[in-house]
Amino acid sequence: MTPRRMLGGVLALAVVLGGGGCAARPEQAADLVVWHWMTDREEALQTLAARYQELTGVRVQFELYAPSDVYTQKIQAAAQTATLPDIYGVLGESRDFAGFVKGGHVRDLTASMLQQDGAWRHRFFERALAMSTFEPGNAYGVPSGIYGVPLDMMNIQLLYNKRLFRQAGLDPDRPPETWEELLALGDRLEAAGIQGLVSGWGEIWLIDCFASNYAWNVMGRDKVIATIQGRVQYTDPDWIRVFRLFAELREAGLLAQGVVTMVNKVAEQTFAMERAALAFNGSWCVNVYRGMNPNLEYGVLLPPRVSEAHPMMIWGGAGTSLVVNARSRHGGEAEQFLRWMTDKDQQVFLASTTLNLPATRQAVEEIPEVLAAFADDMDRSFHPSVLPVSEYPAVLEAFDKGIQSIITGELTPEEVGRQVQAAKERELKRESRRVAP
Amino acid sequence: MKVAVPWRLRLREQVVSMGFVLPALSLFAMFSVYPFYLVAKLSVHDWDGISPEAFWVGFGNFLEVLTQDPVWWQSVWHATWITLLALTIQNGIALVLALAVNRDLRGGHFYRVVFYVPPVLSGIVVGLVWNWIYDGNFGILNHALRGLGLGHLARAWLSDPGTALTAVAAVHMWKGFGWGFVILLAGLQSIPPHLYEAAEIDGANAWERFRHITVPMMVPVFFLVSILTILGTMQIFEIIVATTQGGPGYHTEVPVTRIVATMLGQNRFGYACASGLVFGAILLAVSLVQVRVSRQIAFTQ
């Protein structure tokens, strides 16, 4: 082969490879593409997609990317390259969601929601829709409106194993109602050789969740907001009280060994296999436990309050919300599909097959009995995403890691308070050094 | 006799040569130079990864990494500690096993395969398996300790601040010693046998043969293994993710977990890029020192 021919071959290959890289994205085989992270709902979603195609002829393709942190990376990368699918979900805080909206990646659904006297909007529980809504004058500078469609709801509570309670000589029909009664369980369970509380406190957000519940109970919503705004410090006695609760749990011997590095999947397995008497987990666990141990006998327990000053609140709200890509060429069809997904039949189907709390009012009347206990406390739920402000992620990390250190006995609540406040001040300083592009 | 090559021919040759280099150069530019440029550009900005605007912060991110982030330096120390353990214990074990297998040991081929199994396993899988071994309540390790009458040592190895980092290091060493074993074994097998035979005739004992033949001949291999160990261990990530996620507290945080945490957990892409560049510079400096030292020693010998 002559050099000229070889060169020709090399260049041709380069053109083919380079051209391939620059080629326009091939036409999607499906009419609508949906990205999600919910392994437990994959089968049900595929079933609904098949039904929708049968009904309308529109082919919807659900693509699963799990676990959730991988999914988050996937949508971030896709947002940066403007290759998001027609429908997707945004995981994270309001700040993250706001970033997607401001980046032009999320379609404003307000007009559709409010059509026909707000028929679509009124299907939903307020708490479910709140997480997808930006109010006028919000702190993120996002135009007010409704940007997402909730498919289900969730809240996070304590769960207790009734059989292990009996084994420890406790009354399974009378779970602890006060913080002191909860702590007293430690000795009883230890004497019976049963592990206490398991939870995914290695995935720090669940610690944050437990602590936030008690922050609302100890100091109330306004003081929590004031702290986020920087008007109250994390060294405040109320925050120290919240941190001390974890020391009390440790001292009472109520925490399972290894809880500080435990991921929630392991915590779920441990509780489902009846190796721990208590778990702190979300309503999605009903489906998870059913898969792991259908004979598990357990009850739902609202975390006992420590203060009478404010009501006990629990993390909750929309479990899954999907958004329509503002750049999608099939935005209208995507909206239609999401509207169909929130019709009563589909919501009942999702609730009964995936055992998640439905997001719409009509469907909740027909949920399986086991979910009713979670649903009962939905009115007590709150979510940081619905607050007008959100804490810096670096501060949340210091907060959650600090609590881990309290649980291991390394740091005192006061030391953690000081560390978290120091992280807060660093972030405020960083914010101030930003220069507009 | 020199013949002048016409300029047209020279130009054509150069164009042809460039044509051959171009594909490789394009790929290198696309997948190495351009990403590096983007990382460098992002490192002087504050960007959340999604918003259309990024804020210029100059060297602020670098200053923060170098002077205001104690967790970052803690994470560098953790990686250094694991590296020190790997350099000594992991490579020591690898050398002992390589020496053993290098002798005409019965079933030598079997051991070669067995010792090489851990490195080819996924770090995540290895981490999950060791989670069960280390489990505070139901783990095999505690069970064995209780069986040996050492129940007082039983603990949640990965959740105890006093043991978490070393426990993670042990997993890393278990997974990594096979690499060193294979390279060291190849090095041992490349030493000409007549050197040992001559030494034996001269009356050298086993230790003297090891000290005066094996060690000097293996110096370049030791350096290769050391540099691979340092670079591989400083970048430890999967095992941490599968075992402790950097906890309890910050006790098992390493530079790569910090970079990921700041990028994806805190949405600070610029800061993560600055951390990555600082970390890259540290690794480069370590490698340069090591190469220089190895040249010095090779020259001396």
Side-chain angles (χ1 to χ4, degrees):
Chain A
M1 189 181 277
T2 63
R4 185 179 290 186
R5 281 193 179 176
M6 279 175 69
L7 177 63
V10 169
L11 288 176
L13 188 65
V15 168
V16 168
L17 287 173
C22 300
R25 196 177 174 198
E27 195 61 30
Q28 290 166 346
D31 299 309
L32 291 174
V33 175
V34 187
W35 285 0
H36 75 105
W37 63 95
M38 300 164 282
T39 45
D40 62 325
R41 278 161 260 192
E42 170 69 358
E43 204 178 322
L45 293 173
Q46 296 292 358
T47 305
L48 287 176
R51 282 187 195 172
Y52 192 68
Q53 186 176 5
E54 205 173 298
L55 197 72
T56 62
V58 175
R59 197 166 97 74
V60 181
Q61 185 174 315
F62 278 95
E63 294 180 8
L64 172 67
Y65 299 98
S68 52
D69 51 349
V70 170
Y71 174 82
T72 302
Q73 290 173 36
K74 173 93 182 159
I75 59 162
Q76 278 185 345
Q80 287 161 18
T81 52
T83 52
L84 282 163
D86 304 299
I87 300 171
Y88 61 100
V90 179
L91 295 174
E93 303 287 326
S94 297
R95 195 188 299 271
D96 305 312
F97 190 28
F100 276 83
V101 177
K102 285 160 75 180
H105 304 297
V106 182
R107 186 175 166 116
D108 186 349
L109 303 175
T110 314
S112 305
M113 285 274 181
L114 297 181
Q115 270 175 7
Q116 297 165 341
D117 294 330
W120 193 11
R121 187 190 189 288
H122 293 310
R123 288 180 185 180
F124 300 103
F125 287 102
E126 287 298 322
R127 280 184 167 74
L129 206 55
M131 287 168 67
S132 302
T133 306
F134 284 95
E135 299 296 339
N138 60 79
Y140 310 103
V142 174
S144 63
I146 302 168
Y147 290 92
V149 179
L151 288 189
D152 54 47
M153 296 198 297
M154 63 92 190
N155 64 54
I156 303 177
Q157 303 203 39
L158 281 170
L159 309 158
Y160 65 101
N161 183 312
K162 292 185 176 180
R163 200 183 66 77
L164 292 180
F165 259 48
R166 277 193 289 272
Q167 197 177 312
L170 298 161
D171 182 357
D173 297 322
R174 199 194 162 278
E177 286 172 5
T178 65
W179 181 253
E180 288 69 29
E181 283 180 10
L182 179 72
L183 294 181
L185 288 180
D187 286 340
R188 302 289 295 270
L189 293 171
E190 204 172 339
I194 298 168
Q195 280 202 107
L197 178 70
V198 289
S199 187
W201 287 359
E203 301 171 35
I204 51 181
W205 71 275
L206 266 168
I207 290 192
D208 184 27
C209 179
F210 193 89
S212 299
N213 291 350
Y214 283 103
W216 282 58
N217 177 228
V218 168
M219 67 191 84
R221 180 182 187 273
D222 293 344
K223 195 164 179 179
V224 170
I225 292 174
T227 310
I228 297 171
Q229 288 171 333
R231 293 186 285 113
V232 171
Q233 299 208 337
Y234 282 100
T235 48
D236 183 275
D238 280 346
W239 279 106
I240 301 301
R241 174 75 189 113
V242 172
F243 292 136
R244 186 163 294 124
L245 297 175
F246 291 89
E248 289 172 7
L249 286 172
R250 184 196 71 226
E251 286 156 9
L254 200 63
L255 300 175
Q257 272 202 325
V259 73
V260 285
T261 52
M262 195 176 275
V263 292
N264 206 37
K265 189 53 75 182
V266 172
E268 286 172 342
Q269 285 166 348
T270 308
F271 186 73
M273 295 299 122
E274 307 200 64
R275 288 174 166 179
L278 292 159
F280 180 64
N281 207 357
S283 49
W284 62 81
C285 70
V286 177
N287 194 29
V288 176
Y289 294 151
R290 181 180 64 170
M292 290 177 173
N293 180 4
N295 299 319
L296 186 67
E297 195 190 343
Y298 64 99
V300 179
L301 162 65
L302 186 74
R305 62 199 301 169
V306 296
S307 166
E308 296 299 322
H310 301 278
M312 187 68 209
M313 301 295 280
I314 51 172
W315 256 45
T320 309
S321 288
L322 296 177
V323 301
V324 176
N325 182 358
R327 293 188 172 86
S328 167
R329 285 182 291 135
H330 310 286
E333 292 95 321
E335 269 189 38
Q336 283 302 317
F337 174 66
L338 288 179
R339 184 190 284 262
W340 179 81
M341 286 284 280
T342 57
D343 282 348
K344 185 181 175 186
D345 288 349
Q346 282 67 253
Q347 283 282 294
V348 170
F349 172 78
L350 275 173
S352 58
T353 52
T354 68
L355 295 181
N356 281 289
L357 293 167
T360 56
R361 294 170 197 280
Q362 285 179 312
V364 85
E365 293 156 9
E366 299 184 29
I367 59 171
E369 194 180 338
V370 68
L371 280 175
F374 275 104
D376 284 349
D377 293 317
M378 207 62 221
D379 286 340
R380 293 173 175 275
S381 72
F382 74 96
H383 198 280
S385 291
V386 303
L387 296 180
V389 287
S390 60
E391 189 53 279
Y392 295 107
V395 178
L396 289 176
E397 184 193 271
F399 184 89
D400 299 333
K401 292 274 191 181
I403 290 173
Q404 285 187 344
S405 300
I406 292 173
I407 293 172
T408 58
E410 270 189 292
L411 295 178
T412 63
E414 290 76 11
E415 286 169 329
V416 170
R418 285 195 290 275
Q419 284 190 1
V420 178
Q421 186 57 34
K424 177 82 179 185
E425 280 157 19
R426 269 201 305 274
E427 288 304 300
L428 290 170
K429 198 174 162 189
R430 185 172 71 83
E431 185 84 31
S432 67
R433 84 167 187 239
R434 282 178 154 193
V435 179
Chain B
M1 188 178 73
K2 277 189 174 176
V3 179
V5 181
W7 69 269
R8 277 191 178 181
L9 196 60
R10 279 209 311 269
L11 183 68
R12 208 175 76 176
E13 274 179 3
Q14 279 180 356
V15 169
V16 169
S17 305
M18 284 302 292
F20 281 111
V21 175
L22 193 63
L25 201 64
S26 309
L27 290 173
F28 178 70
M30 197 186 302
F31 295 110
S32 291
V33 178
Y34 183 62
F36 186 80
Y37 160 74
L38 280 184
V39 166
K41 188 178 156 191
L42 273 179
S43 69
V44 289
H45 287 87
D46 193 356
W47 184 49
D48 65 6
I50 299 297
S51 299
E53 73 269 19
F55 296 88
W56 165 262
V57 292
F59 288 105
N61 286 330
F62 289 95
L63 275 177
E64 193 178 336
V65 174
L66 294 170
T67 62
Q68 295 159 26
D69 189 348
V71 177
W72 167 258
W73 290 109
Q74 204 179 336
S75 76
V76 173
W77 163 243
H78 293 156
T80 308
W81 170 246
I82 300 174
T83 304
L84 289 174
L85 290 178
L87 278 172
T88 51
I89 299 172
Q90 175 188 312
N91 289 347
I93 292 171
L95 179 62
V96 169
L97 293 173
L99 286 167
V101 172
N102 191 41
R103 304 174 73 175
D104 287 332
L105 195 71
R106 200 170 166 187
H109 289 292
F110 171 75
Y111 289 117
R112 277 180 219 187
V113 173
V114 167
F115 295 151
Y116 198 62
V117 168
V120 298
L121 296 175
S122 148
I124 296 292
V125 173
V126 168
L128 293 175
V129 169
W130 278 86
N131 265 336
W132 297 331
I133 294 172
Y134 282 140
D135 188 278
N137 291 291
F138 309 102
I140 300 166
L141 180 58
N142 282 348
H143 189 69
L145 286 171
R146 288 189 192 105
L148 293 167
L150 299 170
H152 62 284
L153 294 177
R155 66 194 63 217
W157 296 89
L158 292 168
S159 305
D160 185 327
T163 58
L165 187 63
T166 308
V168 168
V171 180
H172 175 75
M173 289 190 285
W174 178 84
K175 187 182 180 313
F177 80 90
W179 288 114
F181 164 77
V182 167
I183 298 169
L184 290 167
L185 183 62
L188 288 172
Q189 289 179 341
S190 69
I191 299 174
H194 66 261
L195 294 178
Y196 291 108
E197 288 161 14
E200 218 167 337
I201 291 166
D202 289 342
N205 61 27
W207 167 247
E208 285 166 338
R209 290 198 299 275
F210 176 75
R211 166 80 181 79
H212 296 292
I213 299 174
T214 309
V215 171
M217 296 294 283
M218 289 287 285
V219 165
V221 182
F222 289 149
F223 274 104
L224 175 68
V225 171
S226 302
I227 209 157
L228 290 177
T229 305
I230 291 171
L231 295 179
T233 307
M234 288 297 285
Q235 297 180 66
I236 182 174
F237 176 66
E238 287 169 312
I239 288 171
I240 304 270
V241 168
T243 51
T244 61
Q245 300 87 48
Y250 293 103
H251 283 283
T252 56
E253 289 282 4
V254 290
V256 184
T257 57
R258 288 314 302 159
I259 291 169
V260 172
T262 44
M263 181 175 276
L264 299 173
Q266 301 178 13
N267 291 341
R268 295 187 64 192
F269 278 64
Y271 186 76
C273 289
S275 307
L277 289 176
V278 169
F279 186 49
I282 292 172
L283 292 184
L284 188 67
V286 170
S287 304
L288 288 176
V289 168
Q290 183 125 13
V291 167
R292 206 180 177 91
V293 171
S294 74
R295 277 190 190 152
Q296 197 88 32
I297 290 177
F299 178 74
T300 311
Q301 292 201 337

